[in-house]
Amino acid sequence: MAAAVAFRLAEPGDFLQVLNICSEAFDGLDYMAVFYQRWLEEPGRLVFVAALDSRVVALESALLVDGGQTAVFQGLRVASDLRGRGVAGALQKHVTDYIRHHYPQVSACRLSRGDQPSPQTLSKYSLVAKEAILSLCCEATDLGLFLAELRAKVPCNSSSSSSSSSSSSCSPGPVMLSQQEAETLILSDHVVSKLLPGQTIINDWEPLRPVEANLEVLRRRGLTWIADRRSEPAALSLCTVPYAVPLRHDALHFNMNIFGRSLAPVCSVFVAQLEALLPSLTGYLVFHTYVDPPLWPGLRHFCQNTANVLFFKDYWEELVLETEL
């Protein structure tokens, strides 16, 4: 089967066929409808499709990061009727060979996995980082009640309001960071050595080394940055812009990565991120929060509520893998 498939760079006209191979992916949270055109236009990104006759049957993309030294593989999709027939492996080999030929400076490839890779797969990669994922869902109209319950649980010295002023007994709460403040923090020795998982910036399944060359990638994402404090934070978070997903006609999805090793400040910035989003949210929400795995049970307990906010999935993980190209 793989021998009969042709590979080429993706085009805008492939959009509808690409959506056809994405219809069953990611529990109704597939981002491709929103991201496809953006990916075609993004600097440093290559998007490839596999075609059988005139039918698009698979897609893969690679984003060149780390100053052009690493390719981050993202977005692998294969038509459901052709899975297990060698198409994915053939497409990935084509992408790898293309990068080796056209971008010889690339020395490594990196990818994120949300399932448990087989021992055979893991033997080909080194594990760079791991995050545990807390998945929640609710109607947007219930989020305010959920936040009211959470605020009552946040310790006094980790106030949930990003704009609250300090009192005689409480330290100031989390702070929303400017882009410049966020960039300075994310590259600081304190954050890199003490907060980042595997010394890796992870945003929405996109793993980046903490180097200046990757700041432009982060700027393009339109992220909201919140920390528990501006100097040497115990928790630093980034949150994506909500985007439409096919789960429901009015469903929105967003991802929040929180870098930290202590539960209280992580809970605090979690609440602050949701508060920052609250005024703009409508419809049905599904949101993933990525944290240090030992903190997952505590964050899940913190999120127990009576406000009709439900757990969308049980415990699962994101693994960041890397290998030489």
Side-chain angles (χ1 to χ4, degrees):
M1 172 58 66
V5 175
F7 308 105
R8 59 174 173 80
L9 289 168
E11 302 172 352
D14 297 322
F15 177 65
L16 293 180
Q17 291 201 69
V18 167
L19 290 192
N20 286 337
I21 64 174
C22 297
S23 59
E24 301 173 1
F26 303 111
D27 300 314
L29 304 181
D30 199 311
Y31 52 79
M32 197 60 69
V34 175
F35 284 27
Y36 180 73
Q37 186 62 39
R38 188 183 308 171
W39 277 10
L40 293 184
E41 299 170 357
E42 182 170 19
R45 186 181 291 277
L46 305 166
V47 185
F48 293 84
V49 294
L52 184 61
D53 297 325
S54 60
R55 176 192 174 198
V56 172
V57 297
L59 176 143
E60 176 70 296
S61 86
L63 178 65
L64 304 184
V65 300
D66 303 348
Q69 298 179 2
T70 304
V72 174
F73 283 65
Q74 295 175 290
L76 180 64
R77 307 284 193 280
V78 178
S80 58
D81 61 313
L82 295 178
R83 290 171 193 163
R85 302 178 68 177
V87 175
L91 176 56
Q92 290 177 318
K93 182 181 185 303
H94 175 80
V95 175
T96 300
D97 290 345
Y98 184 97
I99 292 171
R100 285 189 180 123
H101 179 73
H102 292 277
Y103 302 92
Q105 74 276 17
V106 176
S107 59
C109 68
R110 193 178 304 140
L111 66 150
S112 297
R113 293 287 296 266
D115 54 0
Q116 185 56 48
S118 66
Q120 181 181 6
T121 298
L122 287 175
S123 69
K124 301 176 184 177
Y125 295 89
S126 59
L127 178 63
V128 174
K130 180 190 296 187
E131 290 186 305
I133 308 171
L134 184 75
S135 302
L136 296 166
C137 58
C138 67
E139 301 290 344
T141 51
D142 292 325
L143 190 61
L145 294 175
F146 177 59
L147 284 169
E149 290 189 23
L150 295 188
R151 289 187 203 105
K153 303 179 190 178
V154 176
C156 182
N157 61 359
S158 298
S159 171
S160 64
S161 172
S162 59
S163 61
S164 62
S165 59
S166 61
S167 67
S168 58
S169 58
C170 297
S171 301
V175 290
M176 188 175 294
L177 303 171
S178 67
Q179 186 66 34
Q180 183 175 355
E181 288 174 321
E183 292 177 4
T184 299
L185 271 181
I186 204 69
L187 300 185
S188 68
D189 290 341
H190 170 79
V191 168
V192 172
S193 63
K194 295 186 178 181
L195 302 187
L196 293 184
Q199 298 190 353
T200 303
I201 305 168
I202 307 175
N203 161 50
D204 194 8
W205 302 83
E206 198 167 69
L208 307 170
R209 291 296 182 200
V211 295
E212 184 125 8
N214 288 329
L215 295 179
E216 179 54 36
V217 177
L218 294 170
R219 290 181 197 125
R220 293 198 293 263
R221 302 299 178 251
L223 303 168
T224 297
W225 297 82
I226 294 179
D228 67 317
R229 54 180 180 264
R230 282 192 165 84
S231 178
E232 296 193 348
L236 174 62
S237 65
L238 55 86
C239 187
T240 64
V241 176
Y243 52 86
V245 290
L247 178 68
R248 210 173 84 173
H249 74 280
D250 60 347
L252 293 175
H253 179 55
F254 56 93
N255 290 284
M256 187 190 313
N257 290 79
I258 306 179
F259 310 122
R261 301 286 190 266
S262 299
L263 182 61
V266 165
C267 291
S268 179
V269 299
F270 170 76
V271 173
Q273 284 281 9
L274 292 179
E275 287 182 323
L277 284 169
L278 182 61
S280 63
L281 295 175
T282 60
Y284 187 71
L285 312 176
V286 181
F287 48 103
H288 297 337
T289 303
Y290 305 73
V291 295
D292 190 32
L295 299 185
W296 189 92
L299 182 60
R300 189 187 193 284
H301 179 75
F302 177 71
C303 289
Q304 295 281 3
N305 69 93
T306 61
N308 295 320
V309 175
L310 306 177
F311 294 98
F312 186 73
K313 290 182 70 171
D314 203 352
Y315 182 92
W316 58 306
E317 293 178 333
E318 174 186 9
L319 304 182
V320 177
L321 307 174
E322 184 173 300
T323 189
E324 293 182 358
L325 194 68

